[in-house]
Amino acid sequence: MDASAAKLIGAGLATIALAGVGVGIGNIFGSFVAGALRNPEAAPRVFGNVLLGFALTEAVALFALVIAFMILFVF
């Protein structure tokens, strides 16, 4: 196998994590909306935790993208 083909395959495999991140963000906000509809008074108290979960999940996406770009352009 050619080295450039292996780089492209490796970068593609590194971006598979982005699908999981999309599912995770959907679960976070879907659960928040469902919980907010059941108990509207608690929604403002929980929203900070929702944003924290979103930020941590999005960080995984950024790490995956950095790894993919490192595979493509550094090695």
Side-chain angles (χ1 to χ4, degrees), residues 40-68:
E41 293 178 3
R45 290 185 303 209
V46 187
F47 190 67
N49 291 337
V50 170
L51 290 181
L52 178 66
F54 170 74
L56 293 174
T57 308
E58 191 66 28
V60 172
L62 293 176
F63 292 147
L65 230 72
V66 166
I67 294 299

Side-chain angles (χ1 to χ4, degrees), residues 14-15 18 59-74:
T15 57
L18 298 177
V60 172
L62 293 176
F63 292 147
L65 230 72
V66 166
I67 294 299
F69 285 143
M70 284 177 57
I71 290 172
L72 283 177
F73 298 117
V74 175

Side-chain angles (χ1 to χ4, degrees), residues 3-27:
S4 62
K7 281 176 32 174
L8 293 175
I9 291 172
L13 289 175
T15 57
I16 290 176
L18 298 177
V21 168
V23 171
I25 291 173
N27 283 337

